[in-house]
Amino acid sequence: MEPSGSTLTATSSSGNHTLNSTGGDCPWELNDKVRLRRFLCYGSEGDIYTAREECRLSMENAGALLSLLQEHRGCEVVEEIRKFARDGRAVRVNPSIFALAVCSQLSEENTKRMAFKALKEVCQDPAHLFSLIQYKKELKEGMKSGIWGRALRRAVSDWYNEQDAMSLALAVTKCKQREGWSHQDLLRLSHTKPAYETIALISKYLTKGWKEVQVAYADKDNSEEVVKVLSYLEVVEKVKHSSDEVEVTHLIEEHRLEREQLLTDHLKSKQVWRALLKEMPLASMLRILGKMTADKVLEPGSSDMAAVCDRIHNEMELKKAKIHPYNILLASENYKRGQGSRGKTKWEPDISILKALDSAFYKCFMNVEPVGKRFAVAVDVSTSLSSVVPGTSVSTAVAAAAVTMVIARTEADTQVLAYSEGVVVPCTISPEMSLAQTTAELVKIPSGSTECTLPVTWATENGKAVDVFIIFTNNPCWTCSASPVETLRKHREKSGAFSKLVMCGLTSIGHAIADTEDRGLLSISGFDLGALDVIRNLAQDLI
C-alpha cells in the first residue's frame, strides 16, 4: 500500500530491511520499527546523528516508514508518532510531521483516520500546522487531485475550534504565516465553521481584518469571553500602528506581548527590549545576552542587568523552563567569547552575567532526570584551545567534562574513564567538583590516537557490567583495531546486559563506528543539546 498520490519511490539508506520487523529474540537487531523511531527522533534511519544539521525530508530517506505502511502497520506508525510528540522524545519535530503527512495520504481508512486524529497532538503550534500542509502538498506533486479532501478540512477546522481562545489569539498573532501558507489560506480552504463565538471572532480577524471586526462587534452585546479576546486583539493592532516608544513599552509590560508580535522598527528601541526581557522565555533570553550587552540594553550596574541576572540563576525559573546544564554552558561560553558567530556583533562580557550563568549551570542539574542505567563515560580529548565543538564556542575538553558531570551526578552507577594510546585510567568525579576541576581530571592523560573499543575491553576484563558506553574524542577520525561489534558482543555475553556504545566525535564530520545492523551502536558527529536526547533515547531502548 503506497501513500495516495505519491509518485516517489522509497529506498532505504540503511540497506535491506530486516525480515523480522518485530525484532524476534535479538534485542540488538535493527528492524523497521527501530529505524522508524530513529527517523522520528532525528530525521535519519542511519546510525549517525549529526549535530545542528536538518536533513531534507523525503520518501527516499524514510524507507522503514514506507515498509511498515506496505505491511499494513499504519496504525502502529501513527501511534509511534503520537508517542514521540507526547513524550518529547523527538530531537527534531519535522520528521514526525512529515511521517504524519505521509500516513494521512494513505488510502487505508483506519491509518488515515488515526493520522488526522493525531494532528493536533503532533502539530502543537501554527508553524507545525503550516509544515504539515506543505508536506502534504509536496507529496501530491504532479497529481491532478488536490490535498483538501473532507478529512483534512475537518482536521484543520478542529485544530482551530478545539483551541483555548486566548491561547489561539496569541499563537496566530505570533506566527501569521510559514511555508507559503497563512491562517487566511487554511481557514478558507478548510471551510472552517467556528464552533464558538470567540473562535468566530478570531477567524473573522484572520480572514477579514481588524477593521471589519470593529464594525461587526461595535454594537453587539458581547460575552465576557469575547470582550477579553477583542481587547487582546485591539492591543496587538495598537502596537502594530504605534511609533511611540513609551506606549509600546507599556503595552508589552501590561499585556505580556512577545517579540514576534512587534514590528522590526520597535526592536531598535532599548526600552522595548528591556520590557521584553522581563517576561521573555529563559531559553530565548540566554541566546541574546551578547546582543543585549553589545546594544547597551544591559549596562553594568543597572537595575535591568540585575533583574536579568536574577532570572538567569533563579531556581524556580530554571525548573519551570527545564533548562539543561549544557544549555547554560553553551550560553556562557558564547557570551565569554565577546562576539557573535559572524564576528560583526562585539561586546565586553559583564562579570555579573558570567557569575549568574556559572551559578545557573550547577543549579540546572536538578532538571536532569536519571535514566537508571549503568554508564561508562570514557574521555580522550586534548586541551588544545583551538579544538572547539563546531558551531559553538565550547572547547571539546569542556564539553566532554560537562556531559560527564551531568551523567556522573544524575546516574547512581557511573564509571568515568580517561584513556589514550592503550592506557585506561579510572577517574573520580565527585559532586563537589567544579567544571574546571572535572576538566583537569579528564585530560590528565595526553591525547593520542583514539581506539574506540578500549573502554569496552577494559570493562569486560575488569568485570564491570555496563549498559551504556559513551566515548568522547576530539580526534576527527578514530580507529578500531578490534571490531566494535565483536568487542561489544563479548561484553554482552560476559555481563548479560544489552550493552550499547555511543561514539561522540566532537569534531567529527560524520564518521560511523562500523557498518553494522546492531541497533546498540550509534555515532554522534559534533555535539549539541539534541545529542543528549539521542543518548537518552538510546539508553532507554526508544531508538
PDB file of all heavy atoms in Angstrom, residues 469-493:
ATOM      1  N   PHE A 469      27.975   2.575  27.069  1.00  0.00           N
ATOM      2  CA  PHE A 469      29.316   3.168  26.948  1.00  0.00           C
ATOM      3  C   PHE A 469      29.193   4.459  26.152  1.00  0.00           C
ATOM      4  O   PHE A 469      28.632   4.460  25.049  1.00  0.00           O
ATOM      5  CB  PHE A 469      30.277   2.226  26.208  1.00  0.00           C
ATOM      6  CG  PHE A 469      30.637   0.981  26.957  1.00  0.00           C
ATOM      7  CD1 PHE A 469      29.916  -0.192  26.774  1.00  0.00           C
ATOM      8  CD2 PHE A 469      31.703   0.962  27.849  1.00  0.00           C
ATOM      9  CE1 PHE A 469      30.237  -1.354  27.447  1.00  0.00           C
ATOM     10  CE2 PHE A 469      32.043  -0.203  28.530  1.00  0.00           C
ATOM     11  CZ  PHE A 469      31.308  -1.367  28.338  1.00  0.00           C
ATOM     12  N   ILE A 470      29.717   5.555  26.684  1.00  0.00           N
ATOM     13  CA  ILE A 470      29.746   6.824  25.938  1.00  0.00           C
ATOM     14  C   ILE A 470      31.205   7.253  25.837  1.00  0.00           C
ATOM     15  O   ILE A 470      31.884   7.430  26.852  1.00  0.00           O
ATOM     16  CB  ILE A 470      28.929   7.924  26.644  1.00  0.00           C
ATOM     17  CG1 ILE A 470      27.482   7.471  26.842  1.00  0.00           C
ATOM     18  CG2 ILE A 470      28.964   9.215  25.827  1.00  0.00           C
ATOM     19  CD1 ILE A 470      26.640   8.439  27.654  1.00  0.00           C
ATOM     20  N   ILE A 471      31.686   7.393  24.607  1.00  0.00           N
ATOM     21  CA  ILE A 471      33.093   7.728  24.377  1.00  0.00           C
ATOM     22  C   ILE A 471      33.182   9.093  23.722  1.00  0.00           C
ATOM     23  O   ILE A 471      32.535   9.360  22.701  1.00  0.00           O
ATOM     24  CB  ILE A 471      33.770   6.660  23.503  1.00  0.00           C
ATOM     25  CG1 ILE A 471      33.731   5.306  24.223  1.00  0.00           C
ATOM     26  CG2 ILE A 471      35.202   7.052  23.174  1.00  0.00           C
ATOM     27  CD1 ILE A 471      34.260   4.157  23.413  1.00  0.00           C
ATOM     28  N   PHE A 472      33.984   9.973  24.330  1.00  0.00           N
ATOM     29  CA  PHE A 472      34.203  11.315  23.779  1.00  0.00           C
ATOM     30  C   PHE A 472      35.622  11.434  23.246  1.00  0.00           C
ATOM     31  O   PHE A 472      36.574  11.031  23.907  1.00  0.00           O
ATOM     32  CB  PHE A 472      34.012  12.385  24.869  1.00  0.00           C
ATOM     33  CG  PHE A 472      32.591  12.587  25.297  1.00  0.00           C
ATOM     34  CD1 PHE A 472      32.101  11.977  26.434  1.00  0.00           C
ATOM     35  CD2 PHE A 472      31.738  13.385  24.543  1.00  0.00           C
ATOM     36  CE1 PHE A 472      30.784  12.157  26.830  1.00  0.00           C
ATOM     37  CE2 PHE A 472      30.418  13.569  24.927  1.00  0.00           C
ATOM     38  CZ  PHE A 472      29.940  12.961  26.073  1.00  0.00           C
ATOM     39  N   THR A 473      35.740  11.974  22.045  1.00  0.00           N
ATOM     40  CA  THR A 473      37.058  12.257  21.480  1.00  0.00           C
ATOM     41  C   THR A 473      36.987  13.511  20.627  1.00  0.00           C
ATOM     42  O   THR A 473      35.934  13.843  20.080  1.00  0.00           O
ATOM     43  CB  THR A 473      37.575  11.081  20.630  1.00  0.00           C
ATOM     44  OG1 THR A 473      38.870  11.408  20.106  1.00  0.00           O
ATOM     45  CG2 THR A 473      36.635  10.787  19.455  1.00  0.00           C
ATOM     46  N   ASN A 474      38.116  14.230  20.554  1.00  0.00           N
ATOM     47  CA  ASN A 474      38.168  15.359  19.624  1.00  0.00           C
ATOM     48  C   ASN A 474      39.044  15.039  18.415  1.00  0.00           C
ATOM     49  O   ASN A 474      39.392  15.921  17.643  1.00  0.00           O
ATOM     50  CB  ASN A 474      38.637  16.646  20.318  1.00  0.00           C
ATOM     51  CG  ASN A 474      40.037  16.521  20.907  1.00  0.00           C
ATOM     52  OD1 ASN A 474      40.666  15.465  20.817  1.00  0.00           O
ATOM     53  ND2 ASN A 474      40.520  17.586  21.523  1.00  0.00           N
ATOM     54  N   ASN A 475      39.379  13.756  18.272  1.00  0.00           N
ATOM     55  CA  ASN A 475      40.032  13.332  17.036  1.00  0.00           C
ATOM     56  C   ASN A 475      38.985  13.279  15.929  1.00  0.00           C
ATOM     57  O   ASN A 475      37.926  12.682  16.106  1.00  0.00           O
ATOM     58  CB  ASN A 475      40.657  11.939  17.197  1.00  0.00           C
ATOM     59  CG  ASN A 475      41.956  11.985  17.977  1.00  0.00           C
ATOM     60  OD1 ASN A 475      42.676  12.974  17.927  1.00  0.00           O
ATOM     61  ND2 ASN A 475      42.246  10.924  18.708  1.00  0.00           N
ATOM     62  N   PRO A 476      39.237  13.908  14.773  1.00  0.00           N
ATOM     63  CA  PRO A 476      38.251  13.887  13.693  1.00  0.00           C
ATOM     64  C   PRO A 476      37.986  12.489  13.154  1.00  0.00           C
ATOM     65  O   PRO A 476      36.944  12.208  12.602  1.00  0.00           O
ATOM     66  CB  PRO A 476      38.868  14.787  12.620  1.00  0.00           C
ATOM     67  CG  PRO A 476      40.319  14.827  12.935  1.00  0.00           C
ATOM     68  CD  PRO A 476      40.443  14.670  14.412  1.00  0.00           C
ATOM     69  N   CYS A 477      38.946  11.585  13.341  1.00  0.00           N
ATOM     70  CA  CYS A 477      38.774  10.185  12.932  1.00  0.00           C
ATOM     71  C   CYS A 477      39.239   9.299  14.075  1.00  0.00           C
ATOM     72  O   CYS A 477      39.994   9.719  14.940  1.00  0.00           O
ATOM     73  CB  CYS A 477      39.595   9.863  11.679  1.00  0.00           C
ATOM     74  SG  CYS A 477      39.094  10.799  10.222  1.00  0.00           S
ATOM     75  N   TRP A 478      38.752   8.086  14.104  1.00  0.00           N
ATOM     76  CA  TRP A 478      39.203   7.146  15.125  1.00  0.00           C
ATOM     77  C   TRP A 478      39.401   5.780  14.501  1.00  0.00           C
ATOM     78  O   TRP A 478      38.907   5.484  13.428  1.00  0.00           O
ATOM     79  CB  TRP A 478      38.215   7.089  16.291  1.00  0.00           C
ATOM     80  CG  TRP A 478      36.797   6.868  15.901  1.00  0.00           C
ATOM     81  CD1 TRP A 478      36.179   5.694  15.603  1.00  0.00           C
ATOM     82  CD2 TRP A 478      35.800   7.883  15.741  1.00  0.00           C
ATOM     83  NE1 TRP A 478      34.878   5.900  15.285  1.00  0.00           N
ATOM     84  CE2 TRP A 478      34.604   7.231  15.360  1.00  0.00           C
ATOM     85  CE3 TRP A 478      35.774   9.272  15.896  1.00  0.00           C
ATOM     86  CZ2 TRP A 478      33.421   7.917  15.124  1.00  0.00           C
ATOM     87  CZ3 TRP A 478      34.610   9.948  15.668  1.00  0.00           C
ATOM     88  CH2 TRP A 478      33.438   9.278  15.289  1.00  0.00           C
ATOM     89  N   THR A 479      40.147   4.955  15.236  1.00  0.00           N
ATOM     90  CA  THR A 479      40.489   3.635  14.712  1.00  0.00           C
ATOM     91  C   THR A 479      39.923   2.553  15.620  1.00  0.00           C
ATOM     92  O   THR A 479      39.627   2.787  16.787  1.00  0.00           O
ATOM     93  CB  THR A 479      42.019   3.459  14.621  1.00  0.00           C
ATOM     94  OG1 THR A 479      42.571   3.635  15.930  1.00  0.00           O
ATOM     95  CG2 THR A 479      42.624   4.476  13.671  1.00  0.00           C
ATOM     96  N   CYS A 480      39.785   1.384  15.082  1.00  0.00           N
ATOM     97  CA  CYS A 480      39.315   0.226  15.844  1.00  0.00           C
ATOM     98  C   CYS A 480      40.163  -0.966  15.440  1.00  0.00           C
ATOM     99  O   CYS A 480      39.952  -1.549  14.373  1.00  0.00           O
ATOM    100  CB  CYS A 480      37.838  -0.060  15.566  1.00  0.00           C
ATOM    101  SG  CYS A 480      36.726   1.300  15.972  1.00  0.00           S
ATOM    102  N   SER A 481      41.161  -1.315  16.261  1.00  0.00           N
ATOM    103  CA  SER A 481      41.997  -2.470  15.941  1.00  0.00           C
ATOM    104  C   SER A 481      41.184  -3.754  16.070  1.00  0.00           C
ATOM    105  O   SER A 481      41.444  -4.745  15.412  1.00  0.00           O
ATOM    106  CB  SER A 481      43.217  -2.517  16.869  1.00  0.00           C
ATOM    107  OG  SER A 481      42.801  -2.555  18.220  1.00  0.00           O
ATOM    108  N   ALA A 482      40.178  -3.709  16.958  1.00  0.00           N
ATOM    109  CA  ALA A 482      39.244  -4.828  17.097  1.00  0.00           C
ATOM    110  C   ALA A 482      37.874  -4.358  16.626  1.00  0.00           C
ATOM    111  O   ALA A 482      37.568  -3.168  16.644  1.00  0.00           O
ATOM    112  CB  ALA A 482      39.185  -5.276  18.554  1.00  0.00           C
ATOM    113  N   SER A 483      37.050  -5.293  16.212  1.00  0.00           N
ATOM    114  CA  SER A 483      35.716  -4.951  15.741  1.00  0.00           C
ATOM    115  C   SER A 483      34.860  -4.429  16.895  1.00  0.00           C
ATOM    116  O   SER A 483      34.722  -5.111  17.922  1.00  0.00           O
ATOM    117  CB  SER A 483      35.043  -6.188  15.131  1.00  0.00           C
ATOM    118  OG  SER A 483      33.651  -5.995  15.030  1.00  0.00           O
ATOM    119  N   PRO A 484      34.274  -3.215  16.773  1.00  0.00           N
ATOM    120  CA  PRO A 484      33.398  -2.702  17.834  1.00  0.00           C
ATOM    121  C   PRO A 484      32.210  -3.628  18.096  1.00  0.00           C
ATOM    122  O   PRO A 484      31.812  -3.816  19.242  1.00  0.00           O
ATOM    123  CB  PRO A 484      32.924  -1.354  17.268  1.00  0.00           C
ATOM    124  CG  PRO A 484      33.955  -0.964  16.268  1.00  0.00           C
ATOM    125  CD  PRO A 484      34.439  -2.253  15.680  1.00  0.00           C
ATOM    126  N   VAL A 485      31.677  -4.213  17.020  1.00  0.00           N
ATOM    127  CA  VAL A 485      30.541  -5.122  17.159  1.00  0.00           C
ATOM    128  C   VAL A 485      30.946  -6.355  17.962  1.00  0.00           C
ATOM    129  O   VAL A 485      30.249  -6.775  18.895  1.00  0.00           O
ATOM    130  CB  VAL A 485      29.996  -5.539  15.773  1.00  0.00           C
ATOM    131  CG1 VAL A 485      28.848  -6.528  15.922  1.00  0.00           C
ATOM    132  CG2 VAL A 485      29.554  -4.322  14.982  1.00  0.00           C
ATOM    133  N   GLU A 486      32.103  -6.926  17.622  1.00  0.00           N
ATOM    134  CA  GLU A 486      32.578  -8.125  18.301  1.00  0.00           C
ATOM    135  C   GLU A 486      32.960  -7.817  19.753  1.00  0.00           C
ATOM    136  O   GLU A 486      32.670  -8.606  20.667  1.00  0.00           O
ATOM    137  CB  GLU A 486      33.793  -8.699  17.554  1.00  0.00           C
ATOM    138  CG  GLU A 486      34.314 -10.022  18.092  1.00  0.00           C
ATOM    139  CD  GLU A 486      33.307 -11.157  18.008  1.00  0.00           C
ATOM    140  OE1 GLU A 486      32.371 -11.077  17.176  1.00  0.00           O
ATOM    141  OE2 GLU A 486      33.441 -12.118  18.793  1.00  0.00           O
ATOM    142  N   THR A 487      33.612  -6.680  19.976  1.00  0.00           N
ATOM    143  CA  THR A 487      34.014  -6.289  21.329  1.00  0.00           C
ATOM    144  C   THR A 487      32.797  -6.083  22.217  1.00  0.00           C
ATOM    145  O   THR A 487      32.776  -6.502  23.379  1.00  0.00           O
ATOM    146  CB  THR A 487      34.848  -4.989  21.287  1.00  0.00           C
ATOM    147  OG1 THR A 487      35.949  -5.165  20.397  1.00  0.00           O
ATOM    148  CG2 THR A 487      35.371  -4.628  22.664  1.00  0.00           C
ATOM    149  N   LEU A 488      31.773  -5.449  21.653  1.00  0.00           N
ATOM    150  CA  LEU A 488      30.548  -5.213  22.411  1.00  0.00           C
ATOM    151  C   LEU A 488      29.811  -6.531  22.668  1.00  0.00           C
ATOM    152  O   LEU A 488      29.240  -6.739  23.745  1.00  0.00           O
ATOM    153  CB  LEU A 488      29.644  -4.243  21.631  1.00  0.00           C
ATOM    154  CG  LEU A 488      28.530  -3.538  22.418  1.00  0.00           C
ATOM    155  CD1 LEU A 488      29.097  -2.702  23.555  1.00  0.00           C
ATOM    156  CD2 LEU A 488      27.696  -2.656  21.491  1.00  0.00           C
ATOM    157  N   ARG A 489      29.847  -7.431  21.678  1.00  0.00           N
ATOM    158  CA  ARG A 489      29.202  -8.739  21.835  1.00  0.00           C
ATOM    159  C   ARG A 489      29.831  -9.517  22.991  1.00  0.00           C
ATOM    160  O   ARG A 489      29.120 -10.143  23.799  1.00  0.00           O
ATOM    161  CB  ARG A 489      29.329  -9.547  20.542  1.00  0.00           C
ATOM    162  CG  ARG A 489      28.592 -10.884  20.574  1.00  0.00           C
ATOM    163  CD  ARG A 489      28.912 -11.739  19.363  1.00  0.00           C
ATOM    164  NE  ARG A 489      30.327 -12.109  19.305  1.00  0.00           N
ATOM    165  CZ  ARG A 489      30.873 -13.085  20.036  1.00  0.00           C
ATOM    166  NH1 ARG A 489      30.123 -13.773  20.894  1.00  0.00           N
ATOM    167  NH2 ARG A 489      32.149 -13.351  19.931  1.00  0.00           N
ATOM    168  N   LYS A 490      31.145  -9.471  23.092  1.00  0.00           N
ATOM    169  CA  LYS A 490      31.847 -10.174  24.180  1.00  0.00           C
ATOM    170  C   LYS A 490      31.435  -9.610  25.539  1.00  0.00           C
ATOM    171  O   LYS A 490      31.248 -10.351  26.505  1.00  0.00           O
ATOM    172  CB  LYS A 490      33.362 -10.060  23.995  1.00  0.00           C
ATOM    173  CG  LYS A 490      33.905 -10.893  22.845  1.00  0.00           C
ATOM    174  CD  LYS A 490      35.408 -10.691  22.703  1.00  0.00           C
ATOM    175  CE  LYS A 490      35.955 -11.528  21.537  1.00  0.00           C
ATOM    176  NZ  LYS A 490      37.414 -11.298  21.351  1.00  0.00           N
ATOM    177  N   HIS A 491      31.297  -8.277  25.601  1.00  0.00           N
ATOM    178  CA  HIS A 491      30.894  -7.671  26.866  1.00  0.00           C
ATOM    179  C   HIS A 491      29.457  -8.074  27.220  1.00  0.00           C
ATOM    180  O   HIS A 491      29.148  -8.342  28.391  1.00  0.00           O
ATOM    181  CB  HIS A 491      31.007  -6.149  26.803  1.00  0.00           C
ATOM    182  CG  HIS A 491      30.672  -5.486  28.114  1.00  0.00           C
ATOM    183  ND1 HIS A 491      31.562  -5.439  29.161  1.00  0.00           N
ATOM    184  CD2 HIS A 491      29.526  -4.897  28.560  1.00  0.00           C
ATOM    185  CE1 HIS A 491      30.998  -4.843  30.194  1.00  0.00           C
ATOM    186  NE2 HIS A 491      29.765  -4.491  29.849  1.00  0.00           N
ATOM    187  N   ARG A 492      28.597  -8.114  26.217  1.00  0.00           N
ATOM    188  CA  ARG A 492      27.217  -8.528  26.458  1.00  0.00           C
ATOM    189  C   ARG A 492      27.151  -9.960  26.986  1.00  0.00           C
ATOM    190  O   ARG A 492      26.398 -10.260  27.915  1.00  0.00           O
ATOM    191  CB  ARG A 492      26.412  -8.418  25.159  1.00  0.00           C
ATOM    192  CG  ARG A 492      26.088  -6.992  24.726  1.00  0.00           C
ATOM    193  CD  ARG A 492      25.532  -6.990  23.315  1.00  0.00           C
ATOM    194  NE  ARG A 492      25.150  -5.646  22.871  1.00  0.00           N
ATOM    195  CZ  ARG A 492      24.906  -5.325  21.611  1.00  0.00           C
ATOM    196  NH1 ARG A 492      25.002  -6.237  20.662  1.00  0.00           N
ATOM    197  NH2 ARG A 492      24.564  -4.085  21.289  1.00  0.00           N
ATOM    198  N   GLU A 493      27.943 -10.827  26.378  1.00  0.00           N
ATOM    199  CA  GLU A 493      27.935 -12.233  26.789  1.00  0.00           C
ATOM    200  C   GLU A 493      28.419 -12.393  28.229  1.00  0.00           C
ATOM    201  O   GLU A 493      27.844 -13.161  29.003  1.00  0.00           O
ATOM    202  CB  GLU A 493      28.814 -13.061  25.854  1.00  0.00           C
ATOM    203  CG  GLU A 493      28.199 -13.270  24.471  1.00  0.00           C
ATOM    204  CD  GLU A 493      29.102 -14.094  23.562  1.00  0.00           C
ATOM    205  OE1 GLU A 493      30.263 -14.381  23.966  1.00  0.00           O
ATOM    206  OE2 GLU A 493      28.665 -14.456  22.457  1.00  0.00           O
TER     207      GLU A 493
END
